């Protein structure tokens, strides 16, 4: 069979993915095997694949593919989130483009359009994930508003209400004028915003003079119901209890005093506008002040605002400033930078607004479920990186009641029912509501009832995701699957939704199942460009994810992203990283072509080939142990780098070079078969990271008879330590090559190598060393070569005879540099070992590694010092 000279990912990726799907290799059903479960962070149904999605889902795929190969019943549940605010905004915009305002539609008509939009566009991102190679169980795809998940949300609301954890109340909330809905505190993003501070004159009514008030919001002056000073501010103590006139409105308001007022800010006088500021609202409650709401829901000036009614709040601000100047009531204005809250979804400036909403009592919830906090702090649930535990603790210890109602139509409708007299009950259905009213002594019919028009916060459905995807919620739920797959194993997500989602899933897990929802949480970093800017369409610095896959192939993109993605740290993306992935694919492909292109004979393998097999086996065993340790610490980027070096450096640059026959000659059939088997094992090791090229090569090597890598066993390290002589021989070859490079010697020029008796263990691999190093080994070291240069392998001093004169001064300079390095290294290791806390708390094997480092470094330093003495 002719092998393509170039690796073409587009030719094979779709072929293998469709094959995997058709064979249902990703399908999971409960059986006798232990489960390994991941639930996908459900992307918004409005979403399309971007760089963050690619990184997050590649990491999940690596974890799930490795678990599947290790014999677990691996289940990766995909799905999408209905995304109330984002989806409703998209549908409203689409309808507007068709000349259909939302206000012209009934709720049912609007939802019909919304579901039609969802059916047409809602699955795009999941289809795109398949291009990446995501091995989800697509038969399990869920949607947060599908009937059973919708019902689960309603059941949970009713349950929590009955437990007294949900209540309806009037409070000041965060209002998004663009989305015209409330927001939770976590959905408000504070940004430093340049603004103006206006110094406005409030003239005295019952005293001669005036007060000057500094405000950034003159458009809300019509809502002023008092001005407030600090009772300890000597400037104003004589005015407390007197009155001033609200500028342009001509309303008399009192001067009150409260310790809240910052004497140093502005003029030390605060305009009290309870409808438009949470602190003013609290002062208003304390002093029993009226509330005048000067803004409509869409952010325009209301009738109560009196001036500039109907104007947008920011346009009205300019008009207020102009009017105040004309009335000579504006003393001055100055630049001012302050934190302003913006809607996380629409980026509109958020307005404080007094409103009747539904809330979840978070303080009582946390008292009822202390494990929500302790499970994370005690590492029952592990965070990677662990530094986010403190962020989690701070939020949990200062948590506020969760505003869970939203003024939208797209979402889970709140199961509250109102009678014609204004009474209300919470019930799953209208029929249940009639029963609940009867318990209150009120007789109503279904026709008398009106359901609450609001929907629930999107996160109120997402927090149930690890349970609801297995249909585990509800009085009559069949929990067979939930009991098998839950708790899930690992969650991969971003730190930006630690509070929105991760914390709330932990809350739901303990409230509804009495146990954690997952064992580990891996937080990815934020992908930035080379200038450390956040990627965004507006900056034009966010590459098209699908175009990258089209250009480089999915394996290359996966590798490029993972090589630069340590947990929790921001990732500086550069397309050259994807090119590195492509280069690696080409390297693997060329190695495969080289092996397949060799002519074979029936002879025995050469000594060098046998010894290369031993060395490669040691390196493979060592790397397998390293990878397991790295995976246990979720250092997936480091694990990939270890595999990369094993294939590029050890297999391609060492092993294949050692077994390669002279030009024009054939190779032992046994040796080639061993190389093919080794390549298959390496491809199995690589498969979770780069599934397509690994599957292609393994199937080509076996003429399509090999078990798919999706299901074949993952390589396991053999018991016992790697042979020390193998690793030392490999190190010796590296040192010889480095010596050639630094001395400018041709690799074709044979050199003599002088090995002392103390290093004879290396000579068991003499043929391997001689072939790769192009050296002739001598063991008679009674006299050192005249132009010899030592190389240090382990603790052995081995001499390379050079056919050039040695520059003693340069040699001494290099040795002095090495001496400085080892002096510093030894000091740092000693300091660590002298630290009693480290020795007592670290794992014994970790302490042993540090002691071995100290011993080896000390031996090497002695050799360096001995060589320096010889050069004196």
């Amino acid at each position: 069979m002719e092998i393509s000279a170039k690796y073409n990912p587009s030719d094979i990726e779709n072929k293998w993915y469709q094959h995997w799907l058709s064979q249902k290799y990703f399908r999971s059903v409960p059986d006798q095997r232990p489960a390994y479960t991941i639930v996908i962070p459900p992307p918004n149904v409005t979403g399309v694949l971007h760089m963050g999605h690619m990184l997050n889902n590649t990491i999940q795929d690596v974890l799930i593919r490795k678990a599947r190969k290790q014999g677990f019943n691996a289940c990766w549940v995909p799905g999408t989130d209905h995304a109330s605010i984002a989806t409703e905004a998209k549908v409203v915009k689409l309808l507007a483009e068709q000349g259909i305002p939302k206000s012209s539609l009934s709720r049912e008509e609007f939802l019909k359009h919304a579901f039609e939009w969802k059916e047409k566009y809602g699955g795009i991102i999941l289809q795109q994930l398949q291009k990446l190679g995501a091995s989800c169980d697509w038969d399990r795809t869920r949607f947060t508003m599908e009937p059973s998940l919708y019902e689960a949300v309603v059941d949970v609301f009713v349950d929590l209400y009955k437990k007294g954890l949900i209540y309806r109340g009037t409070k000041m909330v965060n209002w998004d004028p663009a989305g015209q809905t409330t927001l939770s505190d976590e959905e408000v993003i504070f940004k430093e915003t340049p603004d103006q501070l206006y110094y406005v004159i409030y003239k005295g009514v019952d005293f001669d003079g005036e007060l000057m008030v500094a405000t950034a919001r003159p458009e809300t002056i019509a809502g002023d119901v008092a001005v407030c000073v600090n009772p300890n501010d000597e400037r104003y103590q004589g005015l407390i209890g007197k009155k001033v006139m609200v500028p342009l409105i001509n309303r008399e308001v009192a001067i009150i005093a409260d310790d809240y007022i910052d004497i140093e800010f502005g003029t030390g006088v605060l305009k009290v506008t309870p409808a438009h500021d949470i602190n003013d609202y609290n002062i208003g409650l304390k002093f029993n002040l009226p509330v005048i709401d000067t803004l409509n829901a869409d952010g325009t000036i209301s009738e109560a605002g009196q001036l500039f009614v109907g104007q947008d709040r920011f346009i009205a601000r300019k008009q207020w400033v102009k009017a105040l100047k004309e009335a000579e009531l504006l003393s001055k204005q100055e630049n001012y930078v302050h934190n302003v809250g913006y809607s996380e979804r629409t980026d509109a400036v958020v307005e404080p607004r007094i409103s009747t909403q539904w809330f979840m009592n978070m303080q009582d919830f946390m008292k009822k479920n202390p494990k929500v906090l302790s499970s994370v702090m005690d590492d029952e649930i592990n965070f990677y990186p662990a530094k986010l535990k403190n962020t989690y603790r701070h939020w949990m210890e200062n948590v506020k009641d969760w505003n869970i109602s939203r003024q939208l139509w797209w979402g889970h409708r709140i199961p509250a029912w109102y009678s014609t007299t204004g009474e209300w009950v919470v019930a799953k259905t209208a029929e249940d509501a009639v029963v609940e009213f009867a318990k209150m002594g009120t007789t109503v019919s279904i026709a008398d009832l009106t359901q609450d028009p609001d929907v629930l916060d999107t996160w109120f459905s997402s927090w149930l995701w690890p349970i609801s995807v297995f249909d585990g919620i509800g009085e009559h739920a069949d929990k067979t699957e939930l009991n098998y797959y839950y708790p899930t194993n690992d969650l991969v997500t971003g730190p930006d939704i630690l509070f929105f989602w991760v914390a709330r899933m932990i809350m739901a897990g303990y409230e509804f199942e009495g146990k954690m929802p997952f064992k580990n949480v891996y937080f990815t970093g934020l992908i930035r460009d080379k200038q450390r800017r956040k990627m965004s369409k507006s900056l034009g610095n966010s590459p098209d994810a699908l175009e990258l896959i089209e250009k480089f192939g999915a394996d290359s993109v996966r590798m490029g992203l993972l090589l630069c993605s340590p947990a929790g740290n921001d990732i500086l993306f550069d397309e050259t990283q994807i090119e590195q992935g492509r280069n690696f694919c080409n390297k693997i492909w060329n190695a495969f072509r080289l092996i397949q292109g060799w002519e074979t004979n029936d002879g025995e393998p050469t000594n060098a080939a046998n010894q290369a097999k031993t060395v490669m086996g040691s390196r493979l065993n060592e790397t397998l142990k390293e990878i397991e340790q790295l995976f246990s610490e979720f250092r997936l980027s480091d694990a990939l780098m270890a595999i990369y070096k094993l294939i590029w450096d050890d297999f391609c640059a060492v092993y294949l070079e050692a077994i390669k026959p002279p030009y024009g000659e054939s190779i032992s059939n046994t040796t080639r078969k061993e190389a093919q088997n080794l390549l298959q094992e390496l491809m199995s090791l690589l498969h979770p990271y780069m599934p397509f090229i690994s599957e292609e090569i393994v199937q080509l090597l076996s003429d399509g008879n090999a078990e798919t890598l999706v299901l074949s066993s993952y390589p396991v390290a053999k018991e016992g330590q790697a042979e020390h002589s193998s690793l030392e021989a490999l190190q010796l070859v590296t040192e010889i090559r480095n010596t050639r490079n630094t001395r400018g010697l041709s690799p074709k020029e044979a050199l003599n190598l002088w090995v002392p008796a103390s290093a004879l263990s290396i000579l068991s691999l003499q043929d391997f060393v001689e072939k790769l190093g192009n050296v002739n080994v001598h063991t008679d070291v009674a006299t050192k070569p005249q132009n010899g240069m030592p190389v240090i392998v382990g603790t052995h001093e081995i001499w390379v005879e050079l056919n050039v004169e040695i520059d003693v001064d340069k040699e001494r300079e290099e040795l002095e540099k090495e001496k400085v390095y080892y002096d510093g290294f030894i000091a740092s290791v000693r300091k660590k070992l002298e630290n009693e806390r480290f020795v007592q708390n670290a794992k014994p094997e970790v302490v042993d590694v540090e002691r071995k480092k100290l011993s080896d470094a000390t031996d090497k330093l002695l050799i360096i010092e001995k060589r320096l003495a010889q050069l004196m």
Side-chain angles (χ1 to χ4, degrees):
M1 181 187 66
E2 185 177 349
I3 301 171
S4 170
K6 186 179 179 183
Y7 175 64
N8 295 305
S10 59
D11 294 343
I12 71 160
E13 290 180 352
N14 186 63
K15 173 187 74 176
W16 284 119
Y17 199 84
Q18 292 308 314
H19 173 73
W20 296 332
L21 287 181
S22 67
Q23 297 301 309
K24 292 195 175 295
Y25 290 151
F26 308 152
R27 182 73 177 126
S28 174
V29 293
D31 59 25
Q32 74 284 355
R33 292 174 295 166
Y36 175 89
T37 316
I38 294 179
V39 292
I40 198 172
N44 287 354
V45 73
T46 59
V48 293
L49 194 66
H50 59 59
M51 299 298 289
H53 290 133
M54 287 211 297
L55 172 63
N56 183 292
N57 286 281
T58 296
I59 291 170
Q60 291 177 78
D61 197 40
V62 169
L63 293 170
I64 206 81
R65 283 182 182 271
K66 182 172 182 285
R68 192 181 285 121
K69 288 173 68 62
Q70 290 178 310
F72 291 94
N73 188 349
C75 179
W76 185 11
V77 182
T80 51
D81 188 280
H82 64 284
S84 290
I85 298 175
T87 303
E88 182 147 330
K90 278 215 183 260
V91 175
V92 168
K93 182 181 178 183
L94 179 69
L95 290 172
E97 290 170 355
Q98 299 171 7
I100 307 172
K102 178 186 173 184
S103 58
S104 70
L105 300 173
S106 67
R107 187 185 194 109
E108 290 68 28
E109 289 170 335
F110 177 82
L111 289 175
K112 183 173 181 291
H113 283 288
F115 273 106
E116 285 174 355
W117 181 92
K118 180 262 175 185
E119 290 304 315
K120 187 173 182 180
Y121 300 106
I124 289 177
I125 193 166
L126 298 184
Q127 296 166 17
Q128 292 172 330
L129 285 176
Q130 296 186 7
K131 293 286 185 185
L132 187 65
S135 59
C136 301
D137 182 350
W138 298 108
D139 291 340
R140 290 184 175 274
T141 302
R142 308 306 299 263
F143 174 54
T144 52
M145 274 179 60
E146 66 180 83
S148 63
L149 272 66
Y150 192 109
E151 184 178 1
V153 172
V154 173
D155 284 338
V156 162
F157 184 98
V158 174
D159 176 63
L160 292 176
Y161 176 78
K162 288 179 178 178
K163 292 173 179 174
L165 293 172
I166 285 179
Y167 64 93
R168 185 171 181 255
T170 301
K171 290 187 178 185
M172 179 158 277
V173 297
N174 304 303
W175 183 262
D176 178 353
Q180 292 198 43
T181 181
T182 56
L183 304 171
S184 67
D185 289 343
E186 291 72 39
E187 290 169 298
V188 180
I189 309 301
F190 283 92
K191 305 177 190 177
E192 277 203 346
T193 303
D195 220 328
Q196 292 284 298
L197 196 60
Y198 303 94
Y199 288 78
V200 182
I201 297 168
Y202 286 61
K203 292 188 178 294
V205 174
D206 51 0
F207 67 96
D208 291 331
E210 59 195 31
L211 287 181
M212 195 180 300
V213 177
T215 179
R217 303 204 60 192
E219 71 277 11
T220 64
I221 285 175
D224 292 357
V225 293
V227 295
C228 192
V229 299
N230 191 302
N232 300 312
D233 192 336
E234 295 178 357
R235 295 173 294 177
Y236 307 118
Q237 285 176 340
L239 297 179
I240 297 170
K242 295 187 180 297
K243 294 182 178 180
V244 292
M245 192 70 72
V246 176
L248 303 184
I249 300 300
N250 297 324
R251 178 192 308 125
E252 294 181 7
V253 296
I255 301 170
I256 60 176
D258 192 89
D259 289 330
Y260 165 75
I261 305 304
D262 182 356
I263 295 174
E264 302 298 324
F265 179 76
T267 63
V269 184
L270 176 78
K271 61 189 277 306
V272 181
T273 319
H276 301 297
D277 183 274
I278 183 61
N279 298 307
D280 292 14
Y281 177 69
N282 290 331
I283 291 173
L285 291 176
K286 186 174 181 179
F287 288 88
N288 196 29
L289 299 174
V291 175
I292 302 173
D293 190 349
T294 63
L295 292 176
N296 294 315
D298 61 356
T300 58
I301 302 299
S302 69
E303 292 291 336
Q306 298 188 39
L307 303 178
F308 318 118
V309 173
Q311 294 289 336
D312 178 80
R313 53 189 165 152
F314 297 114
I315 295 173
R317 179 179 299 177
K318 294 176 182 178
Q319 293 174 329
W320 261 92
V321 170
K322 182 182 177 184
L324 287 168
K325 285 180 180 177
E326 290 173 351
E328 298 182 346
L329 293 173
L330 184 64
S331 173
K332 64 175 180 176
Q333 64 188 80
E334 60 188 22
N335 293 333
Y336 173 53
V337 177
H338 60 144
N339 271 333
V340 175
Y342 290 79
S343 168
E344 190 250 351
R345 288 294 180 198
T346 67
D347 203 39
V349 172
V350 170
E351 286 290 344
R353 184 178 178 86
I354 298 168
S355 179
T356 300
Q357 302 290 335
W358 293 89
F359 297 88
M360 195 160 105
N361 188 323
M362 299 293 280
Q363 296 291 334
D364 286 357
F365 189 100
M366 290 299 294
K367 288 175 186 174
K368 185 171 181 280
N369 293 283
K371 291 283 287 183
V372 171
L373 178 57
S374 66
S375 62
V376 172
M377 302 316 297
D378 296 340
D379 295 327
E380 294 175 48
I381 299 174
N382 297 294
F383 278 10
Y384 298 91
K387 64 184 179 183
L388 287 170
K389 286 168 57 177
N390 288 331
T391 309
Y392 178 86
R393 179 180 61 190
H394 181 266
W395 187 75
M396 283 299 182
E397 289 178 345
N398 297 277
V399 69
K400 297 177 182 177
D401 285 0
W402 178 10
N403 175 4
I404 57 175
S405 48
R406 299 292 180 268
Q407 288 62 54
L408 302 165
W409 282 350
W410 177 251
H412 304 82
R413 195 168 178 181
I414 290 175
W417 308 83
Y418 300 85
S419 70
T420 54
T421 61
E423 293 180 287
W424 55 270
V425 297
V426 168
K428 185 173 181 178
T429 64
E431 290 79 7
D432 291 344
V434 171
V435 175
E436 292 299 318
F437 272 111
K439 292 178 183 177
M440 295 165 50
T442 303
T443 302
V444 297
S445 67
I446 290 177
D448 297 327
L449 299 179
T450 302
Q451 188 174 354
D452 196 305
D454 291 353
V455 299
L456 287 159
D457 178 9
T458 295
W459 300 104
F460 194 84
S461 56
S462 302
W463 76 320
L464 306 174
W465 188 247
I467 306 172
S468 63
V469 294
F470 298 113
D471 293 321
I473 290 176
E475 187 180 347
H476 305 294
D478 179 353
K479 294 198 173 187
T480 303
E481 289 212 330
L482 183 71
N483 292 336
Y484 181 75
Y485 290 114
Y486 185 95
T488 67
N489 293 74
D490 302 321
L491 176 73
V492 182
T493 188
D496 53 324
I497 54 174
L498 171 58
F499 310 130
F500 286 128
W501 193 45
V502 179
R504 288 169 178 161
M505 281 191 289
I506 296 172
M507 290 166 54
Y510 283 108
E511 173 65 24
F512 302 112
E513 286 301 310
K515 49 190 169 184
M516 67 184 79
F518 29 69
K519 300 180 183 75
N520 303 295
V521 186
Y522 179 101
F523 293 98
T524 63
L526 187 67
I527 301 182
R528 299 182 180 275
D529 65 14
K530 289 185 288 185
Q531 300 174 44
R532 297 186 176 274
R533 299 176 303 176
K534 184 177 178 181
M535 286 191 167
S536 68
K537 289 181 181 178
S538 60
L539 289 175
N541 63 348
S542 181
D544 184 289
L546 290 180
E547 286 181 7
L548 282 177
I549 293 174
E550 186 70 26
K551 182 178 178 181
F552 294 102
D555 284 334
S556 300
V557 172
R558 289 165 66 112
M559 178 182 172
L561 282 173
L562 285 175
L563 277 181
C564 58
S565 57
N569 294 331
D570 284 354
I571 297 140
L572 302 183
F573 175 77
D574 187 340
E575 199 168 287
T576 57
Q577 295 154 350
I578 310 298
E579 291 172 2
Q580 184 180 3
R582 179 174 62 187
N583 293 342
F584 188 43
C585 286
N586 290 335
K587 186 76 171 180
I588 295 169
W589 189 254
N590 289 336
F592 163 68
R593 290 181 63 242
L594 176 68
I595 294 169
Q596 295 302 92
W598 284 331
E599 296 293 331
T600 60
N601 59 59
D602 294 330
E604 292 296 315
T606 64
N607 287 339
N610 282 333
Q611 291 169 14
K613 176 185 174 185
T614 300
V615 172
M616 190 63 204
S618 295
R619 280 293 298 125
L620 174 60
N621 212 50
E622 180 185 44
T623 304
L624 287 171
K625 292 176 183 176
E626 180 186 3
I627 287 168
E628 284 309 302
Q629 179 63 33
L630 292 170
F631 262 88
S632 72
E633 299 166 359
F634 282 81
R635 293 166 58 190
L636 307 189
S637 177
D638 293 337
L640 174 57
M641 180 54 74
I643 298 171
Y644 173 86
K645 289 179 177 178
L646 181 69
I647 294 174
W648 191 293
D649 296 343
D650 297 312
F651 182 72
C652 295
V654 173
Y655 176 76
L656 292 183
E657 288 298 315
I659 69 170
K660 186 170 65 176
Y663 181 75
E665 296 184 20
S666 59
I667 191 173
S668 162
N669 187 54
T670 300
T671 300
R672 191 177 85 151
K673 187 62 181 173
E674 288 170 348
Q676 291 171 329
N677 290 341
L678 186 53
L679 181 57
Q680 284 197 48
E681 191 164 15
L682 292 174
M683 291 301 96
S684 185
L685 183 62
L686 180 66
H687 179 76
Y689 287 98
M690 303 174 76
F692 295 109
I693 189 171
S694 54
E695 184 78 88
E696 175 75 359
I697 285 178
V698 163
Q699 297 306 329
L700 287 174
L701 284 168
S702 66
D703 295 325
N705 295 318
E707 182 182 12
T708 175
L709 287 184
V710 176
L711 303 178
S712 67
S713 296
Y714 192 74
V716 178
K718 296 178 176 62
E719 290 299 319
Q721 295 295 315
E723 292 183 45
H724 195 54
S725 58
S726 297
L727 301 181
E728 287 189 339
L730 188 57
Q731 185 186 350
L732 177 55
V733 169
T734 302
E735 292 291 344
I736 293 168
R737 288 175 170 177
N738 289 341
T739 300
R740 286 184 184 277
N741 290 335
T742 57
R743 300 289 169 177
L745 300 176
S746 168
K748 295 180 180 179
E749 181 182 351
L751 301 175
N752 289 316
L753 192 70
W754 302 82
V755 183
S758 62
L760 287 179
S761 60
I762 293 175
L763 296 179
S764 62
L765 301 170
Q766 179 175 335
D767 295 276
F768 169 80
V769 172
E770 288 187 332
K771 180 167 185 181
L772 282 177
N774 191 15
V775 294
N776 300 308
V777 174
H778 302 274
T779 56
D780 179 11
V781 290
T783 49
K784 291 184 173 61
Q786 185 175 0
N787 287 332
M789 178 180 175
V791 294
I792 299 169
V793 176
T795 58
H796 303 301
E797 184 182 54
I798 298 171
W799 288 78
V800 181
E801 184 176 10
L802 304 176
N803 296 325
V804 294
E805 188 173 343
I806 295 175
D807 185 334
V808 175
D809 290 336
K810 186 176 180 182
E811 182 77 10
R812 187 184 297 113
E813 183 183 343
E814 291 297 321
L815 287 168
E816 289 287 0
K817 287 180 182 177
E818 285 193 63
K819 183 178 182 304
V820 170
Y821 168 77
Y822 279 107
D823 280 336
F825 180 78
I826 288 169
S828 68
V829 177
R830 275 187 178 144
K831 185 176 179 181
K832 186 181 287 187
L833 289 171
E834 287 168 359
N835 184 335
E836 289 185 14
R837 288 184 61 189
F838 168 75
V839 175
Q840 290 173 1
N841 297 328
K843 294 179 180 178
E845 56 267 30
V846 173
V847 177
D848 289 342
V849 167
E850 293 302 316
R851 287 176 176 148
K852 181 72 166 56
K853 285 180 184 177
L854 180 61
S855 175
D856 288 351
T858 303
D859 289 342
K860 287 182 180 180
L861 182 60
L862 288 172
I863 293 172
I864 291 168
E865 290 173 339
K866 179 182 174 184
R867 176 61 177 158
L868 278 169
Q870 292 169 347
L871 293 173
M872 289 299 181

